[in-house]
Amino acid sequence: MKDGNEYGKDCECQELIKQRARYKNAMIPDEYEDYNFKNFEIRESVHDLMLKKITEYLKTFPQKKPAEEIVRKNDEKLRIKGPSFGFIATYGEQRIKNIDDPQLRSEMKRQHNNYGVGKSHLTISAAKYLIKNGYRVQVISDPVFIQDLMTAKFNKDNGETYNSILSNITQYADFVVWDDLGKLKWTEPREDLYYQIFNELYKLGKPIIFSSNEDVETLSDKIGPAAASRLKGMCSGYLYPVEGKDQR
């Protein structure tokens, strides 16, 4: 009580309930349940670099998400907007697959490995950090999400399923965490879909935190040059090619 009036605020148990709901809505895959920043192991210099870059990136946003009622009153000032972030390969998976000589292909794969380096561990850890601090996050596994969208396009429900899937990232989420971007083979319909999604998130100012086993050029081959260009522009310098030993 203050000045003769009672002022209410959420108790810790209410905030915990909301946090659990955000975590459930984020759809983090079960295999990533134990991922967090504390148990990320630094075994070589690339791990130290990756951890520093993503923690620096997260500091560009308020540690705690402003309350919804405050955001509504100050819509443009406090709405969550900012750059996207990506870990990509130094030498893309598709580039290695295209090498005809088996011996050379094996050697390049060894020299430029980007599997098991910790990209997904860190991006999922970022998702959990944001959820804990009040942000709504949607985690996407690229092959599953794109296949679900393409299937939904052909549902005879007047686009209801398709729009529902899209709204989870364009309307619900403050951040989209996109795992394994560019995993699927290129098709023209998928290229159109990637650009549509990235462009919509760009217009809404919603950041994407993503990982990919492709490099800048091969990612463009997989998702289309327009989508790749849009995504690169959204990153505003927060795009990091990485490679190292497979820690799995």
Side-chain angles (χ1 to χ4, degrees):
M1 181 176 290
K2 184 180 179 182
D3 300 329
N5 296 312
E6 291 186 357
Y7 295 87
K9 66 177 182 179
D10 289 347
C11 66
E12 290 183 7
C13 59
Q14 289 176 319
E15 176 50 39
L16 185 59
I17 291 171
K18 292 179 181 178
Q19 183 176 316
R20 287 173 177 168
R22 291 193 299 271
Y23 191 94
K24 182 179 180 180
N25 291 333
M27 301 294 288
I28 298 174
D30 292 341
E31 61 265 32
Y32 297 155
E33 184 178 353
D34 296 330
Y35 285 7
N36 58 65
F37 286 130
K38 290 183 179 179
N39 62 23
F40 181 73
E41 296 184 18
I42 298 177
R43 299 181 182 180
E44 52 182 318
S45 58
V46 67
H47 299 142
D48 185 48
L49 174 68
M50 292 167 69
L51 181 59
K52 284 181 179 178
K53 293 304 181 183
I54 200 163
T55 51
E56 286 173 5
Y57 167 77
L58 291 172
K59 289 177 183 178
T60 63
F61 300 94
Q63 185 174 3
K64 291 287 184 181
K65 180 185 175 183
E68 291 294 334
E69 59 271 17
I70 297 177
V71 174
R72 283 194 293 269
K73 289 179 182 178
N74 303 273
D75 188 51
E76 288 305 315
K77 287 185 178 180
L78 292 177
R79 189 167 297 281
I80 305 306
K81 294 184 178 181
S84 294
F85 180 100
F87 287 129
I88 61 173
T90 302
Y91 203 88
E93 177 183 9
Q94 191 60 46
R95 192 183 301 278
I96 293 174
K97 284 182 177 180
N98 288 340
I99 298 175
D100 293 328
D101 185 331
Q103 186 173 350
L104 178 58
R105 183 168 61 246
S106 178
E107 177 62 21
M108 293 300 288
K109 187 175 181 179
R110 186 189 65 79
Q111 288 184 15
H112 298 288
N113 175 71
N114 65 87
Y115 288 94
V117 182
K119 300 188 298 297
S120 293
H121 190 132
L122 289 176
T123 54
I124 296 297
S125 298
K128 293 179 179 179
Y129 167 88
L130 291 164
I131 290 168
K132 185 178 180 181
N133 287 284
Y135 295 97
R136 295 175 300 187
V137 178
Q138 186 70 48
V139 176
I140 288 171
S141 173
D142 185 75
V144 176
F145 178 70
I146 295 299
Q147 293 283 36
D148 285 349
L149 269 180
M150 295 304 296
T151 300
K153 262 194 167 186
F154 297 99
N155 282 359
K156 297 179 180 179
D157 60 359
N158 296 317
E160 184 176 336
T161 303
Y162 179 82
N163 291 328
S164 175
I165 295 173
L166 272 184
S167 68
N168 285 336
I169 61 173
T170 58
Q171 301 302 319
Y172 166 78
D174 298 312
F175 289 82
V176 177
V177 175
W178 203 307
D179 190 46
D180 219 359
L181 178 63
K183 187 65 175 177
L184 295 172
K185 291 182 179 180
W186 175 90
T187 67
E188 188 171 345
R190 287 173 186 163
E191 176 178 334
D192 293 340
L193 193 57
Y194 280 119
Y195 181 76
Q196 175 191 344
I197 295 170
F198 295 161
N199 194 53
E200 184 65 18
L201 292 173
Y202 166 76
K203 289 190 293 184
L204 293 169
K206 296 194 174 190
I208 304 171
I209 300 173
F210 72 95
S211 63
S212 177
N213 289 319
E214 301 296 344
D215 58 45
V216 173
E217 291 185 11
T218 59
L219 182 59
S220 178
D221 293 338
K222 287 294 193 73
I223 68 175
S229 177
R230 172 62 78 209
L231 185 61
K232 184 179 178 182
M234 290 170 69
C235 287
S236 301
Y238 289 101
L239 184 62
Y240 300 100
V242 296
E243 62 183 18
K245 295 179 182 178
D246 188 341
Q247 303 297 338
R248 293 171 185 162

